[in-house]
Amino acid sequence: MTRPESPAEAPTRLDIADDKDVVRVRQAVRVAAVAAELPLVDQTKLVTAASELARNTLIHGGGGHATVGQVHNGRRAGVRAEFADTGPGIVDLDLAFTDGYTTGSGLGLGLSGSRRLVDEFEIETAPGGGTRIAVTKWAR
């Protein structure tokens, strides 16, 4: 996947340490999506994906941070959200992307569902080395 050519503005960094922070991330993503003029359906998809990823950062990564901002690729605007933690990492990515697989009490659609809701999905993880996930949704 290609990275955006240039940011539209400096991204906002938000710590994720409790449930209130997950709500703050959702709000920041919604504000950025509206500013990028994403259609309402795409706003909802992006906010849903960001909510899942922020919750995963909190629950499975032990907390971390998100960065949220508008991006441009020369043709269109979008929103990029990145989630990072220094938790245990993901041992088996293939298994983690299997619908229905969960290490918690959820439905097991967090990673796979989030990936389907956005236009670009990047993940870096290593056992014991934390996880970084970046998602981008582009205006149509």
Side-chain angles (χ1 to χ4, degrees):
M1 293 182 207
T2 59
R3 291 194 63 132
E5 291 178 9
S6 63
E9 61 184 42
T12 301
R13 186 178 194 275
L14 302 154
D15 289 333
I16 302 172
D18 59 35
D19 288 333
K20 291 181 292 232
D21 295 332
V22 173
V23 173
R24 279 191 273 280
V25 169
R26 287 177 57 94
Q27 292 168 338
V29 169
R30 171 79 63 199
V31 167
V34 168
E37 299 182 358
L38 269 63
L40 183 58
V41 170
D42 288 341
Q43 291 176 32
T44 302
K45 288 177 179 180
L46 180 60
V47 170
T48 301
S51 181
E52 289 292 326
L53 296 171
R55 187 152 306 285
N56 282 356
T57 300
L58 177 61
I59 294 171
H60 301 293
H65 70 274
T67 55
V68 178
Q70 292 183 48
V71 291
H72 292 279
N73 69 358
R75 296 185 323 265
R76 56 189 174 164
V79 176
R80 179 177 174 87
E82 185 172 315
F83 303 85
D85 66 62
T86 56
I90 301 170
V91 175
D92 187 338
L93 268 178
D94 290 333
L95 186 58
F97 278 109
T98 301
D99 284 347
Y101 174 77
T102 181
T103 58
S105 59
L107 298 175
L109 297 173
L111 283 181
S112 60
S114 294
R115 182 168 61 178
R116 284 191 296 269
L117 292 171
V118 298
D119 298 319
E120 297 177 10
F121 187 99
E122 305 166 18
I123 185 167
E124 296 174 10
T125 188
T131 301
R132 184 196 68 81
I133 298 174
V135 297
T136 304
K137 190 75 174 166
W138 295 104
R140 305 273 171 230

